[in-house]
Amino acid sequence: MPLSMAVRTLDYTPTYPTYPSLWMGGYGGAQRGNHGTVARRLKASCVVFDDGSGTKKAMLRIDVVSIAREIHQQIRAAVLPLVGNVNGNFLITCSHTHSGPMIGVNSPHPYVMMSLNAADISAIGQTTTVFINQLVALVQNTLSDATTPVNLGYATGSVTIGYNRAELPTVLTEVQVLTARRTSNNSLFALLYGYGCHAVSRGNDDVFDSDYCGFAAEAIGSALGIGTNVFFFQGAAGDQDPEDPHQASQVNTLGQRLANKVVDIVNNGTFTPVTGPISTRYNDLLLPLNRDLGNPAAIIELRNKYTARMAANPPESYDYRHAKVMVDQIAGAGVQRYFFMPIEVWKFGGLNIVALAHEVLSVYETRIKALTGTKTWVMGYSNEIGGYVGGDTTIRAGETKHFGYEGGWTDDPNVSGAGTWTTFYAWAAPLKLDGDSITTPGGPSTEQAIVDAAAALINQA
């Protein structure tokens, strides 16, 4: 079935007062905000596919560190009527640059991360509203644009720009490239590319920057003569960090290395035709935590542990602030009991795209590709980001690997680990450790539940 596309890019780089807040996300523990300096513009792009089925499909990719569940749901609710009210027909992905604005007031939690006061948090909320409205308008406008008939081709290559920071053996090196060439003259219309590595090569400063992936997109667009029609999609990068040192010059070094590989693939790679129709599937998988937080006795135990943590830490520490948020939640509306895990599949002729929510670790790319074959592109940071999703090895290891950061716990597997991802994303407990946890005895592990759900969606599509 013939395919056609429409694309648009929005420069949304925040400025005051249009954006009431210039607080930045990505690094916990100390206050960090932009003061007007921009190294590379922050962009949001929409890519629309028309496969002739009568309903268009839309991808929205954003240079931002994360979007929380409630933000994802607001954007999705506004867009769904335009894509046939089919969840699978709309996909959001984040580049995960740590040199962009903080968006959302719950996950990550701005008080826990940076000890922001009520006025600052309110400004972040107002900025979030501006952000949502701009993104919805971008998707609406792109869906209304005329489309260009294209032929798609998919190829991969390999380059190394990072390492596994979680003390695991897997280092992701695959580069994914999807070209769209005009059917009228075979000229390049747009290019989608992917790689799995944290967008933190710039390091922790107060400058807005789309990081190595944004540098690479600009370099690719210039080299291939397609300007801004180059779109980056982040992979399963939860345990993948760029080479040190993390500083401004490293953005250029690693971005150029990645760009050179993409251009080489376009010029010399072997491309497989990718055809329509596009079949999509979406599942909001519900992952259990390692403690049954619907059990009153468990809640009392949890409250006591967090009260003790507050007593053991000074108020200026993020461990104290996280414990205070947990105690306040227990006294109020209650803590979150489950972890939503959106999984989305787009199935073309010749290519499967599997999009996983959150900061998924590399094990999910390797396992899903092992099940489905080489013509599968695994994306992370898709639809919503509410924390890290480790594989079995990482979750079971706790503090024995990378001080428990990706596993979410340290000395006690039933409570959030001090200074781990569950602190900054404001969770009360880590994800389920294995197949025989307190929450769901005998059920699959976190890793197996996700892999099984992804495989089922691919088979259904």
Side-chain angles (χ1 to χ4, degrees), residues 38 67 111 136 192 249 267 275 288:
V38 179
I67 57 171
Y111 167 68
V136 169
L192 285 62
S249 62
N267 291 333
T275 61

Side-chain angles (χ1 to χ4, degrees), residues 60-131:
L60 172 64
R61 58 137 326 268
I62 317 159
D63 290 329
V64 72
V65 65
S66 66
I67 57 171
R69 181 170 180 81
E70 62 269 19
I71 300 167
H72 160 218
Q73 294 296 312
Q74 287 182 59
I75 297 171
R76 181 169 292 275
V79 170
L80 275 185
L82 307 177
V83 291
N85 285 306
V86 177
N87 264 316
N89 287 351
F90 179 53
L91 169 65
I92 308 172
T93 71
C94 298
S95 72
H96 197 54
T97 177
H98 284 44
S99 296
M102 171 167 275
I103 298 295
V105 297
N106 294 308
S107 182
H109 199 291
Y111 167 68
V112 175
M113 287 190 73
M114 294 189 289
S115 193
L116 298 188
N117 60 34
D120 290 326
I121 294 172
S122 175
I124 292 174
Q126 296 170 55
T127 281
T128 301
T129 299
V130 175
F131 179 82

Side-chain angles (χ1 to χ4, degrees), residues 162-406:
Y163 64 95
N164 192 304
R165 74 180 192 194
E167 303 172 36
L168 298 169
T170 304
V171 176
L172 298 179
T173 64
E174 185 174 82
V175 184
Q176 302 88 14
V177 176
L178 182 67
T179 56
R181 295 186 176 275
R182 295 175 179 86
T183 58
S184 59
N185 59 11
N186 203 41
S187 63
L188 199 57
F189 172 71
L191 183 145
L192 285 62
Y193 79 104
Y195 192 78
C197 186
H198 255 75
V200 295
S201 60
R202 182 177 189 93
N204 186 354
D205 63 16
D206 61 2
V207 177
F208 282 147
D209 193 343
S210 54
D211 212 84
Y212 75 85
C213 35
F215 181 97
E218 292 178 3
I220 294 163
S222 177
L224 298 178
I226 53 174
T228 60
N229 284 6
V230 179
F231 310 107
F232 172 78
F233 294 82
Q234 185 62 270
D239 54 354
Q240 308 289 303
D241 248 22
E243 295 173 2
D244 295 323
H246 295 179
Q247 59 189 27
S249 62
Q250 193 74 327
V251 176
N252 301 35
T253 300
L254 300 184
Q256 191 63 61
R257 191 185 305 170
L258 179 57
N260 291 344
K261 175 50 64 175
V262 172
V263 173
D264 176 64
I265 294 169
V266 172
N267 291 333
N268 302 302
T270 301
F271 282 79
T272 299
V274 174
T275 61
I278 307 168
S279 178
T280 68
R281 291 292 185 275
Y282 180 97
N283 181 14
D284 223 350
L285 186 65
L286 201 60
L287 296 176
L289 304 179
N290 204 55
R291 194 73 170 101
D292 181 3
L293 299 182
N295 182 341
I299 293 295
I300 292 171
E301 178 187 349
L302 196 69
R303 182 193 62 200
N304 292 340
K305 288 179 178 179
Y306 281 120
T307 300
R309 187 174 288 179
M310 289 175 66
N313 288 279
E316 61 268 22
S317 73
Y318 46 75
D319 292 326
Y320 173 96
R321 297 194 297 266
H322 172 260
K324 183 179 187 304
V325 168
M326 294 299 100
V327 170
D328 289 348
Q329 287 183 0
I330 290 169
V335 295
Q336 297 183 79
R337 293 174 54 188
Y338 293 95
F339 192 92
F340 284 97
M341 177 73 199
I343 303 174
E344 189 165 345
V345 168
W346 285 32
K347 193 169 188 176
F348 297 76
L351 176 65
N352 299 318
I353 293 176
V354 180
L356 305 175
H358 310 303
E359 302 206 45
V360 286
L361 271 59
S362 57
V363 64
Y364 292 101
E365 176 166 333
T366 56
R367 284 207 61 188
I368 290 170
K369 286 178 70 68
L371 285 175
T372 58
T374 57
K375 298 300 185 292
T376 296
W377 183 349
V378 178
M379 299 175 181
Y381 302 85
S382 297
N383 290 315
E384 62 193 55
I385 299 95
Y388 280 76
V389 180
D392 291 348
T393 298
T394 302
I395 298 176
R396 289 169 184 159
E399 67 181 347
T400 65
K401 282 190 179 293
H402 197 214
F403 61 88
Y405 189 80
E406 291 84 6

